[in-house]
Structure formats: structure tokens, C-alpha cells
Amino acid sequence: MKVTKELKYNLLVIIVLTTFDLFWDDLIGGGFKNFEFFWTGALFTFTYNIAFFLVYTINYYVLTPRFLVKRKFISYIIFFFGLILVFAATRFLLEEVVTLKLFDVHNYNLDRNDIVLIYLVDSLIYTFKACFYGSVVYLIFRYNENKSRVHQLELQHQEAKVSALRSQISPHFLFNTLNGFYSDLYDDKPETANDILKLSQLLRYVTYEVKQNFMPLNKEINFIKDYLYFYEKRYEDDFYVKLSIDGHIGEQSIPSLIIIHFIENLCKHGIINDASKPATIRINIQNDFLEVMTKNVINTSDKFMDKGIGTVNVKKRLDVLFKDIYQLDYNSEGQQFNAYLKMPI
């Protein structure tokens, strides 16, 4: 199993803290004068550290990412008190049951009436230390990751802008020309004028509006509908692509020009003009996530999308934006090609 850099640093923290706890009392006391005392101290340092790093691990991998990072502070505090009980119960089991049975020693006097209170008070302090250390290490790693992701996004965004600039041929001239056509045709040929207006809006969205990594969902959906509209105009009565959208379309923030990747590849590389082989596009919008599902028959006269540059770039961008909290699948079943994306919104 490959040991990640993050796990290595956590193991280093464990080693340092364990060593510090093991030798601290003897160091400040002037050396190891009593071997029996040192052995007993080492034994209970070991049991303490088992409880400590059990709580440390739970906090690091569960509580901090699920509650603290998401600012669910009340939930975090509730589970923190649960960790105190975990710490106390683990120490009590190891120090007052296991070590007593194996080595005939225990940490506290079991006959004391306040033994439970002692363990709970001690565990409150120790649990706070474990959660503090674990959360600090976790947040440091997430901070560095976010810096790296932001840097990658900035580079990708700059590359996209350069690519867009290279592909533009006097966009102002183009839009002015289209607007002129629209004005000239509005009275005599309103349908053609409307098509020109849609084309102008589509091009303007790609050229000017998409300047951020995220855009409102309603704008992305309108862009997709306009895109499909022109394919429908091209094929007229022989266009067989069904678009269905479930859920509320609003101002939800989604990565710009991600959904259009699936639509574009379906239209360019799939069969969309055969009634016996209809293509489908389904967009499912939930509170926390969005799904895109496409199905189409592969056009055998064209190389399909599953190994294309666009697909690779989309995956890289999703990796940067969402790390591992998205799902992207492509699969072929005979001549049928299926694409699926699930991402947070």
C-alpha cells in the first residue's frame, strides 16, 4: 500500500508526541533514576497514547472534515463530548482492567469514589489536545491543497482565455454584423431574425460572459437549449434528441461549460437523425448535486469521444474543482454509448 505524504506527516506527529510524553517527566526530573518508575510510566504512556490517537484519528478523518470545515460547530461540539467518553472508556479499559490483569498494576485506585470523575476530567483535557493537534494538521493540509488547486485553476483559466482569443476573429465586428442582420430581417423575416439573435446570444455567452470557473445554472441551461436549437434547425424533422430536465433551475453555481461537453460530443459523434436510434439527454437537479446522463448510438464513421482531448481536460478540471467528490463515467454497450456525471452544486 502506498503511504501518502499526509499519512506520513500524521505518523510523524504521533511519533513526536508519543516520545515527548514518554520522556518528558524523566527529563524535567533530571534523568532516569528509577527504572521501575520509568517502566510503569512507559506502560501508562503507551495506554494513554492508544486512547489519544484513537480520538486523534476519529477527529482527523471524521469530525473535522464533516463538521468543523463545514462550520457545523454545534454538531462538532456534540461529537466532541462523545469523544471524551471514548477517550475515558478506552483509558479505563486499558489502565484499570487490561494492565491490572497482565501486569498487576493500575493507574488509579479503583476503590476511590471519584474514579469515574477523574477519568472524565483527565479525558476532557486530553481529548481537547488530540482534537486540537488533529484539526490543525488537517487544516494545514487542506490550506496547502486549496492553494495548489487555486493556482491550477488560474493557469487553466489563463490557458482557456488565450485559446479563446486565438479562435476569435474580430468578435466585435462579428456581433455588430449579426445585429445588423437581425435589424434588417426583423420585419420581413422574424423567424430568421430570431435565429440570428439566438446565435448572437450563444456566441456572446462563450466569448464574453464565461469569464469565471463557475456560472449560474440557468445560464448554462439556456446555452445548452440554444445549442440544441441550431442542431434542430439543421436537421429539421430528422432531429431525434430528447432533452429532459428534472428539478429546479435557478442561480445554483456550477462549473462553466462542463455540461455542454456532453451535449456537444453527443451531437458531433453520435447518431441524432435516426428515429429508430434516438439520443437522450437527462439533467437531474437536486439540492446538493447535479447529474448529467446521455445515451446515444455511436456514429461508426467518426472516432468517438471517450479518449478525446476534451474528455481528458474535463476530467482534469473536475479533479481540480471537486477533488474526489464527483463521479464521471463513460461506457459502451455494443454501439450504445453512455456518459454520466454527478457533481456538487
Side-chain angles (χ1 to χ4, degrees):
M1 182 182 70
K2 183 179 179 181
V3 180
T4 64
K5 181 179 180 182
E6 187 169 352
L7 180 57
K8 288 180 182 178
Y9 274 99
N10 277 285
L11 291 174
L12 179 62
V13 170
I14 290 173
I15 293 171
V16 170
L17 291 177
T18 302
T19 305
F20 183 82
D21 285 335
L22 182 61
F23 292 102
W24 177 248
D25 289 337
D26 292 285
L27 289 174
I28 63 175
F32 310 126
K33 297 179 179 179
N34 189 324
F35 178 78
E36 183 179 353
F37 175 78
F38 174 74
W39 181 89
T40 304
L43 176 62
F44 289 122
T45 297
F46 178 72
T47 58
Y48 158 79
N49 278 295
I50 290 177
F52 184 92
F53 291 108
L54 173 63
V55 170
Y56 178 98
T57 302
I58 295 173
N59 176 72
Y60 190 93
Y61 289 103
V62 181
L63 267 62
T64 299
R66 290 191 180 182
F67 304 114
L68 191 60
V69 171
K70 297 180 180 179
R71 300 178 182 274
K72 297 179 180 179
F73 299 122
I74 295 178
S75 298
Y76 183 84
I77 292 172
I78 293 172
F79 281 97
F80 172 80
F81 283 105
L83 285 183
I84 296 174
L85 298 178
V86 171
F87 203 117
T90 303
R91 282 191 66 214
F92 185 88
L93 176 64
L94 293 174
E95 296 176 358
E96 308 299 342
V97 179
V98 176
T99 58
L100 184 62
K101 185 175 181 62
L102 294 179
F103 306 105
D104 197 29
V105 293
H106 55 79
N107 201 5
Y108 298 106
N109 184 355
L110 287 173
D111 296 330
R112 294 182 58 169
N113 294 327
D114 59 348
I115 185 69
V116 174
L117 181 61
I118 289 174
Y119 268 96
L120 286 175
V121 172
D122 283 353
S123 297
L124 169 63
I125 300 171
Y126 297 145
T127 301
F128 175 81
K129 287 173 60 178
C131 291
F132 176 77
Y133 293 146
S135 296
V136 168
V137 174
Y138 182 91
L139 293 173
I140 288 173
F141 271 100
R142 298 294 81 78
Y143 173 76
N144 289 331
E145 274 186 2
N146 288 336
K147 281 180 62 179
S148 177
R149 289 174 62 196
V150 168
H151 180 64
Q152 291 183 49
L153 283 174
E154 289 175 349
L155 289 177
Q156 289 189 356
H157 189 58
Q158 292 299 323
E159 290 175 0
K161 289 203 296 186
V162 171
S163 177
L165 288 171
R166 287 174 179 170
S167 64
Q168 293 175 27
I169 302 176
S170 188
H172 290 291
F173 173 77
L174 175 61
F175 290 129
N176 288 336
T177 303
L178 289 174
N179 288 335
F181 288 157
Y182 173 78
S183 299
D184 292 340
L185 296 171
Y186 182 79
D187 293 328
D188 298 332
K189 297 182 178 180
E191 186 176 347
T192 302
N194 183 62
D195 291 347
I196 291 174
L197 178 62
K198 282 183 175 292
L199 177 61
S200 178
Q201 290 172 341
L202 188 148
L203 295 174
R204 188 179 299 277
Y205 182 75
V206 176
T207 306
Y208 292 123
E209 292 192 42
V210 183
K211 295 184 179 296
Q212 304 296 329
N213 283 306
F214 289 85
M215 289 294 290
L217 175 61
N218 52 9
K219 290 190 175 183
E220 288 286 310
I221 294 296
N222 289 335
F223 175 70
I224 289 166
K225 289 180 177 179
D226 286 345
Y227 183 89
L228 289 173
Y229 172 81
F230 285 104
Y231 267 95
E232 188 175 4
K233 293 288 291 184
R234 172 183 173 185
Y235 287 96
E236 297 180 344
D237 294 332
D238 293 325
F239 184 68
Y240 299 100
V241 175
K242 181 182 178 182
L243 170 65
S244 62
I245 301 175
D246 301 319
H248 172 66
I249 302 173
E251 296 287 331
Q252 303 99 314
S253 182
I254 68 167
S256 57
L257 303 181
I258 285 286
I259 300 178
I260 191 62
H261 161 78
F262 299 90
I263 315 302
E264 181 182 14
N265 279 287
L266 180 145
C267 292
K268 289 173 64 177
H269 303 292
I271 295 176
I272 57 176
N273 60 346
D274 189 337
S276 64
K277 303 173 182 178
T280 60
I281 303 165
R282 183 185 171 197
I283 300 174
N284 180 29
I285 306 161
Q286 298 294 330
N287 290 332
D288 299 323
F289 66 88
L290 179 143
E291 292 177 299
V292 181
M293 294 151 278
T294 65
K295 294 182 179 181
N296 61 273
V297 175
I298 299 171
N299 188 342
T300 55
S301 64
D302 192 4
K303 278 190 173 182
F304 205 58
M305 60 175 282
D306 53 344
K307 295 183 180 179
I309 295 175
T311 300
V312 174
N313 289 339
V314 164
K315 187 178 186 309
K316 286 181 179 178
R317 189 172 173 214
L318 289 169
D319 285 339
V320 172
L321 290 171
F322 300 122
K323 198 178 177 183
D324 57 354
I325 55 172
Y326 76 93
Q327 184 179 348
L328 178 64
D329 295 313
Y330 303 102
N331 65 82
S332 300
E333 300 173 358
Q335 293 298 309
Q336 182 80 30
F337 187 86
N338 305 315
Y340 175 78
L341 170 66
K342 180 179 180 180
M343 63 181 176
I345 57 174

